[in-house]
DNA sequence: TCAGTATCTAAGCGCTTGCTCACCCGACGG
DNA sequence: CCGTCGGGTGAGCAAGCGCTTAGATACTGA
């Protein structure tokens, strides 16, 4: 397979948003206790699911009493909403950035997949909550999140459409393939295990290659 | 509710096990009330998740009082276990059959994916429970199910390995690609919507094509 | 005819849930 | 030196949970 050497600089074709640096993106939540609660909630939701997680458990992990949770968040659902929103915005930013880069469609698609997958692997707990606990959101919050997801889908679809138009891709069913690509990437959050054989970087590389095959792009161009 | 019509015949290249006929496979559960409970539980678990589903809800959907549930199943978890077991056995049978067929690896892989995906689309409620509610199983039940999943993975891996050995496939990372193929198929249960544009057959066909591309098989052989 | 069995229900037990309330505490400006 | 205020607590409420029990009903074979 392709050498995964790629020194750090590797991507960040555009960094207009300045989002590229952030690791887990809870850093800008204040006060400190509110941030600890979000982190605790992500862990708990990812481990046991939203409904199986108790507010006592979340508060406990954050090192405070059950009642303290309600100083910072009105309900347990609001915590989920916060997590879901931040996660979806991050996904969308990632994919939009890749779509808008000045590069051939194949490169942009590979970059999008590589980063999207890497994020889902690296922050697979967050990813799990973001991708699999939507159903627990209140109706209005759910609608808002679904709109963000649609925009993410559009970003991928755009790249594939442009690749087809440029004659770089061979894709009989663009919207079906878009769905499959996104689905493939998202599911990484479900199975990824940080103690497994593969690093997030390796999975990203593997998946970028697989997706290029799916769209019938000529074999991976040598990367600088 | 689920039209279980499904004209059966369509493919079935091998039908040694005789399992090919079953549609939704709850038909052989007796007595009738126990079957109704399983069907109700599948619907409820798929809609809201295991933990958000109450025994009162399940019993209600099955048209009986909450207490009646416990005549047929010892606990709510046993219901989940039953569903999970039947579903995983069905998946495994599907994949094993495809693996053992007398045909080139590409055909066997395409058949495996086509049927696996079709099943996850057609019975996406069951699929949802089977694939996404494992975590709610008791420890011993969980271990048993995980063993079944490993055997399913082995079936796919075998086909890919044999395709590589025969020179039909070009796969740099066999076990990674196996994971990706399974992941892609499984995730159909999450997003498939019976009121959407695509039928289960169409999704199966699309995915079989995509997977052949992923393993670098020469373009799809004409099917009879 | 009638005990035995299988199936079901109304009522409810003990416990946990999400969330609230009355109160406490240390930092800090005047 | 005190009042205020953001952040915290212990206790607990109403509701809902999984599950049990005592008893009703219908069907069976002898």
């Amino acid at each position: 397979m392709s050498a995964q050497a790629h020194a750090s600089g590797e991507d960040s074709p555009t960094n207009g948003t300045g989002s590229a640096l952030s690791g887990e993106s809870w850093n800008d939540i204040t006060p400190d206790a509110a941030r600890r609660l979000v982190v605790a909630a992500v862990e708990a939701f990812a481990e046991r699911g939203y409904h199986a997680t108790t507010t006592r458990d979340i508060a406990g992990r954050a090192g405070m009493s059950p009642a303290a949770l309600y100083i910072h968040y009105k309900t347990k659902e609001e915590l989920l909403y916060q997590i879901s929103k931040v996660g979806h915005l991050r996904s969308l930013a990632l994919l939009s950035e890749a779509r808008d880069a000045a590069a051939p469609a194949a490169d942009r698609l590979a970059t999008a997949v590589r980063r999207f997958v890497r994020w889902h692997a690296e922050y697979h707990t967050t990813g799990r909550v973001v991708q699999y606990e939507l159903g627990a959101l209140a109706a209005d919050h759910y609608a808002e999140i679904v709109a963000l997801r649609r925009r993410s889908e559009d970003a991928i679809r755009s790249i594939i459409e442009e690749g087809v138009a440029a004659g770089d891709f061979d894709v009989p069913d663009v919207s079906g393939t878009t769905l499959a690509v996104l689905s493939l990437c998202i599911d990484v959050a479900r199975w990824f295990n940080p103690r497994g054989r593969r690093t997030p970087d390796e999975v990203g590389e593997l998946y970028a290659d697989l997706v290029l095959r799916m769209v019938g792009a000529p074999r991976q161009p040598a990367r600088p």
Side-chain angles (χ1 to χ4, degrees), chain A:
Chain A
M1 92 167 47
S2 62
Q4 90 264 28
H6 81 276
S8 66
E10 193 265 341
D11 53 7
S12 64
T14 73
N15 53 359
T17 69
S19 64
L21 55 111
S22 74
E24 189 79 279
S25 19
W26 313 123
N27 303 347
D28 39 356
I29 295 181
T30 58
D32 182 73
R35 209 195 65 251
R36 267 157 46 221
L37 281 167
V38 172
V39 172
V42 167
E43 277 175 23
F45 292 163
E47 248 173 55
R48 316 141 85 99
Y50 175 80
H51 288 292
T53 299
T54 69
T55 53
R56 283 163 177 83
D57 182 21
I58 297 170
R61 287 175 194 246
M64 45 215 272
S65 78
L69 190 152
Y70 294 90
I71 293 165
H72 303 285
Y73 300 93
K74 273 202 298 242
T75 63
K76 177 174 124 179
E77 191 268 350
E78 197 187 290
L79 258 173
L80 176 63
Y81 170 61
Q82 213 59 245
I83 294 164
S84 205
K85 190 167 162 187
V86 171
H88 276 92
L89 285 173
R90 176 95 193 103
S91 289
L92 180 54
L94 227 80
L95 297 176
S96 301
E97 241 176 70
R99 179 200 53 205
D100 297 337
D107 289 356
R108 288 184 290 143
L109 185 58
T111 299
V113 168
R114 200 180 298 122
R115 294 161 134 206
F116 195 55
V117 164
R118 200 162 49 195
W119 187 79
H120 275 86
E122 182 91 34
Y123 306 111
H124 65 282
T125 48
T126 304
R128 218 115 73 185
V129 177
V130 165
Q131 301 297 352
Y132 296 105
E133 303 290 336
L134 302 191
L137 287 168
D140 51 340
H141 291 161
Y142 180 78
E144 194 185 324
I145 296 295
V146 165
L148 288 178
R149 293 174 75 82
R150 200 142 21 218
R151 291 176 58 194
S152 290
E153 194 183 317
D154 289 343
I156 294 277
R157 196 200 325 276
S158 294
I159 303 178
I160 295 182
E161 272 167 357
E162 288 162 24
V164 170
D168 295 340
F169 295 167
D170 163 31
V171 178
D173 177 351
V174 169
S175 76
T177 303
T178 301
L179 219 58
V181 168
L182 258 173
S183 164
L184 185 66
C185 296
I186 284 173
D187 203 50
V188 168
R190 182 181 56 86
W191 62 258
F192 185 82
N193 181 344
R195 291 193 302 280
R197 273 210 302 280
R198 267 165 262 271
T199 67
D201 277 346
E202 286 164 358
V203 179
E205 217 51 56
L206 170 64
Y207 270 51
D209 178 51
L210 288 172
V211 166
L212 287 182
R213 289 164 175 242
M214 286 167 76
V215 298
R219 195 43 32 87
Q220 199 132 338
R223 299 199 297 122

